[in-house]
């Protein structure tokens, strides 16, 4: 077998692994969605790079990372029936962030070259749950304004006050390998609900 044939065999295996991994992520997201019936899906976005291109946009001048949107991505959920542009005090945005490989893309100039990443054994895969609570009536868009321009909490399990919006937030981050099954995901949700009730005063059903 030629070197190219061997490499392509590895690529086929890798894509099948990625399919299985992403299927597992979707199942985990479904668990989180089911545990917050007061919220509904609102938006999602890759982190550190763009979404896959639209139908009539050529992808060849974009980053290759754009074709791997679940590599680093956030999923946002708003209160059922609420207006994402106008918020009453107490309404909150729920976020789930998946970071498959916690390499910092901001340290690269231009498109990050995976061949220059640290060894995979030296990096981590994480999931972060975030609550963004409106502390007063406000007019701003959860995604375009707060999520794009706001700041993530700097420390887990502690309320963080946004400097430019009437919002307090709280995050909880764990390694993905600490969530091997549904029971572990439910335990994380219980920890998150307890922390957001204690620090943000959220009432969970």
């Amino acid at each position: 077998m030629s070197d190219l044939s061997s490499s392509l065999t590895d690529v086929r295996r890798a894509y099948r692994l990625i399919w299985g991994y992403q299927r597992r992520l979707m199942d985990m997201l479904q668990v989180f969605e089911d545990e917050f019936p007061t919220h509904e899906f609102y938006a999602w976005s890759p982190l550190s790079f763009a979404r896959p291109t639209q139908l009539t946009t050529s992808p060849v001048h974009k980053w290759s990372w754009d074709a791997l949107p679940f590599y680093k991505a956030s999923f946002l959920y708003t209160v059922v029936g609420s207006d994402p542009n106008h918020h009453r005090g107490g309404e909150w945005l729920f976020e789930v962030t998946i970071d498959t490989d916690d390499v910092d893309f901001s340290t690269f100039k231009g498109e990050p070259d995976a061949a220059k990443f640290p060894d995979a054994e030296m990096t981590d895969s994480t999931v972060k749950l975030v609550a963004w609570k409106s502390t007063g009536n406000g007019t701003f868009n959860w995604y375009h304004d707060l999520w794009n321009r706001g700041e993530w909490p700097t420390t887990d399990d502690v309320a963080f006050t946004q400097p430019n919006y009437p919002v307090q937030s709280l995050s909880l981050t764990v390694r993905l390998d600490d969530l091997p099954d549904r029971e572990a995901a439910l335990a994380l949700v219980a920890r998150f609900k307890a922390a957001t009730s204690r620090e943000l005063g959220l009432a969970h059903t």
Side-chain angles (χ1 to χ4, degrees), residues 71 101-105 107-108 112-124:
Y71 180 71
D101 189 350
D102 64 359
V103 174
D104 185 358
F105 275 28
T107 62
F108 291 83
D113 183 348
K116 298 179 180 178
F117 287 1
D119 288 341
E121 292 80 5
M122 303 299 293
T123 60
D124 277 325

Side-chain angles (χ1 to χ4, degrees), residues 112-140:
D113 183 348
K116 298 179 180 178
F117 287 1
D119 288 341
E121 292 80 5
M122 303 299 293
T123 60
D124 277 325
S125 303
T126 63
V127 59
K128 182 193 299 284
L129 305 185
V130 188
W132 307 79
K133 177 190 174 184
S134 178
T135 56
N137 296 340
T139 302
F140 57 87

Side-chain angles (χ1 to χ4, degrees), residues 9 12 24 27 37 39 41 47 55 58 75 78 81 84 92 117 122-123 132 136-137 143 155 163 173 190 195-196 204:
T9 299
R12 292 192 292 272
R24 187 168 181 173
D27 293 342
H39 283 61
F41 179 77
L47 302 174
L55 175 67
S58 172
F75 304 83
T78 54
W92 62 287
F117 287 1
M122 303 299 293
T123 60
W132 307 79
N137 296 340
Y143 172 76
T155 304
T173 308
T196 53
H204 298 287

Side-chain angles (χ1 to χ4, degrees), residues 82-88 91 137-142:
S82 63
D83 183 343
N85 297 298
H86 301 279
H87 315 290
R88 293 177 296 177
E91 289 184 344
N137 296 340
T139 302
F140 57 87
N141 182 268
W142 280 127

Side-chain angles (χ1 to χ4, degrees), residues 8-67:
L8 289 173
T9 299
D10 288 341
V11 168
R12 292 192 292 272
R13 291 190 181 118
Y15 266 103
R16 295 172 191 185
L17 283 172
I18 290 171
W19 174 85
Y21 168 70
Q22 295 194 158
R23 180 65 268 164
R24 187 168 181 173
L25 288 184
M26 293 182 204
D27 293 342
M28 181 180 67
L29 287 169
Q30 186 63 61
V31 171
F32 294 149
E33 289 183 11
D34 291 345
E35 289 303 302
F36 293 93
T38 58
H39 283 61
E40 60 186 352
F41 179 77
Y42 167 52
W44 77 281
S45 178
L47 302 174
S48 306
F49 46 87
R51 290 182 177 84
T53 58
Q54 297 181 357
L55 175 67
T56 57
T57 301
S58 172
V60 300
H61 301 298
K62 303 293 185 178
W63 284 8
S64 180
W65 294 110
D66 296 358

